[in-house]
Amino acid sequence: MNEEHLKFAIVGHVDHGKSTLIGRLFFDTDSLPEGKMEEIKKICDELGKDIEFGFIMDHLQEEREQGVTIDTAQTFFKTDKRHYVIIDAPGHKEFTKNMITGASQAEAALLIVDADEGVQEQTKRHANILSMLNLQQVIVVMNKMDLVEYKEERFNEVKKELIEFLDSINIKPSFIIPISAKKGDNIAKKSENMPWYAGKTVLEALDTFTPKVSAVEKPLRYPVQDVYKFDDKRILAGRVESGVLKKGNKLLFLPSNSESSIKTIEDMHGEQQEAVAGKSTGITIEHPLFVERGEVACDPEKDKPTVTTRFRGKVFWMSKLPFEKAEKITLKIATQEVECAVEKIEKKIDSSTLKVLEEDASGLKEWEVGEIIFKTDSPVVIEGFNETPELGRFVLVKGEDVCAGGIVTHKDLE
Amino acid sequence: MDHLDELESKSIYIIREAYKQYKNLAMLWSIGKDSTALLWLCRKAFFGRVPFPVVHIDTNYKFKEIYEFRDKYAKEWNLKLVVGKNEEAIAAGMGPTKGNKFECCNQLKTIALKQTIAKNNFSALLLGIRRDEHGIRAKERVFSPRNEQFKWDYKNQPPELWDQYKSKQAEDEHLRVHPILHWTEQDIWDYVKRENIPITDLYFAKEMENGEWKRYRSIGCETCCNPICSKATDVDKMIQELKTTKISERSGRAQDKESAYIMQKLRSLGYM
C-alpha cells in the first residue's frame, strides 16, 4: 500500500476553466466511470448546452444551471506514477472562503489563467492565498490558447504580467504551460497546435511534484487533544505533529512547564514502543500531572516552541461579519483555544491588488488581509508557520463559525 | 507511516475532536463496509471501546444478514446500540413500491433519523460517507451543520481550514461529522484487509440458482439494491476487481437513478 498520493488544488479567476480542466484530466486519463459521459451529455442536452466537462465536478443543480462552481469538491484520479486528489475551488469572489477551505488541504496548486482575458482580480487573490498558505509547488496553466490562435506572443505577454505579480508575493512557479482544457492541448498529450512550446504537459509537470515529507526528523511536538480516564488509566490522546514519541523518554509540557516521562504508548492491540510524526495515539505518563487539552508536549533537551501572550500574525478575513479592533475574539491553534485581543492592526491590505488600504486600522472586513499584533488572555505555544505548520497556523472564531485564517509571522515580539 | 496509516490517523483525530467538542455524540452504523470501518476506527480512537451510542436506522427492508451481523458485533464489541425506526410509516405500509423511492428513503431513513435524534437529543452524529461515492458527497465538509429542519445549506457551508473543525454550534443545529470523507472505496477494502475487520458476507460473491456469480457492492435496503456480476469471493479478489472496474460503486443503488439531482434533494433534506 505504499503507492504515492498527492493532493493539489486548482485555483484561479471565475470562468478561466478550472472545472473544465479537471473534467479533461479525468477524460484523458480514462478515470471516468462507465456511463458518466453519457449521463453528462444527457444533462447538457436537457439544459440546451454543448457538452460540458465541468459537470464532472460541478454537481449541484445550481452549479450546472448557472455554470459556476459554488463549493470546493475533492475527487480522485490516477496516473502511472501515483494517485492524485484534485481539489476544485470556486473562482467567484463571493465563494473565496470555499476556495481557502480547499486550498488549505493541498500540497501543490495549479493556478489557471485565461490567455484571452489575462490576469484578473481573482487570479491575484487566489495566488496571494497560495502564498499565505506557503504552497511552493505551483504550476501556472494558461488556458484557452485556442481562443488566441495558439499564439506565442499572447502567451508571453500574459506570462510577463503574471510573473511580475507572483514575484512580488514570492511564488516561483515550477512550470508555465499553455493549454486548452476544452480541446485537450498539453494536458495529457503534447499539443501539435503549439510547436513553439517544448516544455512538459500538465500531467508530466504534476508527476514531478513531491508529497509532503514526514516530520519525523524534527523535534517532538505532541499537542494534547483530550484526556481519557479508562480502567484507572489516564490516557493523554493526541497526534504526533513532529518527531517521535518513545517509551521512557522525557517530556516537557508547555505552557504549564511541567516535566514527566512516557510510561506507556497505548494502542487497541496492546502497548507500543514508539509513535512517529503523523500518528494519532495515546500515552500514559509517570507523574500524576494535571495536563489538559491544549498543552504541547516536547523534548526538554531539544529546540522548544515559543510560549507567549503576544505575537504577530497575518490573517485573511473571510466572513461577511466585519471585525472591529476593540472586539475580543477566539483563537484556535493546534488543540489550543484562547480568547484574545487585537493590540494593533498594523496594516490592512487588499487581498487582490496587495495595496495597503490603511495603517493602524480600526477593523477588517471580508476579503481583507490584516497584519496584526495579537495579545492572548493566557499563554499560547506557537512556532513560525514555516517551522512547524501545525503550531504556526490558526483560525479566528466569532460566534459559531470560523471568520478568518492566519499564520504566525513573528513569534518573538519584544 | 504509509497511506493507510495516514488515513487512519486523520480519521481518529476527527473522531476525537467530535467526542471532545460535542456532548451527545452518536455514530450511525448502517452495517455496510464503510460504517463498519468507521466503527473500527472509533474503537481504535478509544483503545477498544466506543464511548457513545451506535445508531442503526432500520427501515425494516434490510437484509437478514445485516440484522445478524449487527446483533453479533453489538454484543462482541460491547456497543450501546440504538435502533431507530419510523414505526408510523412502517405500520402504514410505506415501501419502495408505494409512492416513489424518494418518498420511501425520506420516510424510512431521513424521518426515522430525525425522530431518533430528537428522542435521544443527539447534538452530533458520526457518519461513514466518502467523497468518492457521489459528486454531492465530494462537496461535504468534515464537520457539517444541519439546522432544525435538517436542511443542509450547501450554498453557504462554513469554512474549514487545515485540521480546525467547527467546535461551536447554534442551539437548534446538529452536526454531521464525516471522519472517513477522505477515503476511497479502494482504501476501505485495503484497510479491511489489513486490519482484518469483520464484514457482512453480502459483499462476497456467491453462486446464484441460475449459475451466475453475484455480490453486492453497496448495501442499503434489500428492495433497492441490485447485486453485480462478480466472482470476488474474498477481500483479496475484491481489491483486484476494484482496480480494473470502470463501473461506479453506487450503480446498484436505485435511489441514485431516479433523476439527476435526487441525491442532492435527499441530502439537502437530511439524508445520510
Side-chain angles (χ1 to χ4, degrees), chain A residues 1-2 30 32 34 61-63 71 97-98 104-105 225 231 239 280-281 293 332 401, chain B residues 2-3 9 13 16-17 49 131 139 141 154 156-157 160 162-163 165-167 190 246 264:
Chain A
M1 275 323 92
N2 284 315
D30 202 20
L32 288 172
E34 210 167 82
Q61 191 165 7
E62 293 83 347
E63 291 180 324
D71 211 336
K97 69 180 165 65
N98 297 340
S104 78
Q105 305 296 326
Q225 191 179 3
D231 304 335
R239 183 172 57 196
S280 283
T281 184
R293 176 182 167 99
K332 287 170 71 177
D401 282 321
Chain B
D2 65 17
H3 178 59
S9 270
Y13 190 85
R16 287 172 172 173
E17 280 301 284
R49 343 171 143 56
R131 286 199 179 99
K139 303 244 173 211
R141 296 285 188 269
Y154 51 79
N156 190 26
Q157 299 201 69
E160 193 165 73
W162 306 298
D163 297 319
Y165 301 110
K166 190 174 165 65
S167 54
D190 287 337
K246 287 205 69 195
Q264 178 178 351

Side-chain angles (χ1 to χ4, degrees), chain B residues 90-272:
Chain B
I90 291 171
M94 175 50 75
T97 48
K98 187 184 176 183
N100 57 27
K101 291 193 170 73
F102 176 84
E103 196 44 34
C104 186
C105 272
N106 191 42
Q107 285 289 334
L108 298 188
K109 292 184 181 173
T110 312
I111 308 258
L113 177 63
K114 254 186 209 175
Q115 293 167 344
T116 311
I117 290 179
K119 196 172 154 198
N120 296 277
N121 207 13
F122 294 133
S123 59
L125 289 174
L126 298 170
L127 268 86
I129 63 160
R130 307 187 329 266
R131 286 199 179 99
D132 77 326
E133 277 179 276
H134 195 282
I136 287 295
R137 289 183 170 169
K139 303 244 173 211
E140 270 286 2
R141 296 285 188 269
V142 178
F143 279 56
S144 178
R146 297 292 191 277
N147 74 6
E148 203 175 7
Q149 288 87 42
F150 253 49
K151 287 260 165 67
W152 176 37
D153 187 2
Y154 51 79
K155 281 183 276 186
N156 190 26
Q157 299 201 69
E160 193 165 73
L161 271 66
W162 306 298
D163 297 319
Q164 294 294 351
Y165 301 110
K166 190 174 165 65
S167 54
K168 291 182 182 164
Q169 70 190 136
E171 221 167 85
D172 43 15
E173 263 178 2
H174 81 270
L175 261 285
R176 298 283 178 91
V177 181
H178 306 128
I180 58 166
L181 200 57
H182 55 297
W183 295 54
T184 64
E185 186 185 13
Q186 174 93 47
D187 296 328
I188 293 285
W189 285 117
D190 287 337
Y191 190 66
V192 163
K193 180 181 146 101
R194 186 181 89 171
E195 301 282 309
N196 207 9
I197 302 173
I199 290 291
T200 160
D201 66 2
L202 290 167
Y203 286 107
F204 304 117
K206 286 174 209 65
E207 195 176 358
M208 304 281 122
E209 281 170 14
N210 63 5
E212 275 183 329
W213 284 80
K214 291 197 166 180
R215 70 176 192 89
Y216 290 92
R217 189 159 163 208
S218 175
I219 295 173
C221 293
E222 188 163 11
T223 41
C224 292
C225 281
N226 291 312
I228 56 162
C229 287
S230 165
K231 286 202 166 175
T233 48
D234 59 32
V235 177
D236 281 311
K237 287 183 188 134
M238 201 133 47
I239 290 170
Q240 269 317 308
E241 184 184 281
L242 271 185
K243 283 188 173 154
T244 50
T245 186
K246 287 205 69 195
I247 297 175
S248 77
E249 181 180 6
R250 293 179 65 92
S251 61
R253 296 292 284 266
Q255 77 259 40
D256 293 22
K257 292 185 180 157
E258 292 266 289
S259 86
Y261 303 110
I262 188 165
M263 213 27 193
Q264 178 178 351
K265 284 183 205 136
L266 278 167
R267 284 195 70 73
S268 74
L269 290 172
Y271 179 78
M272 296 74 91

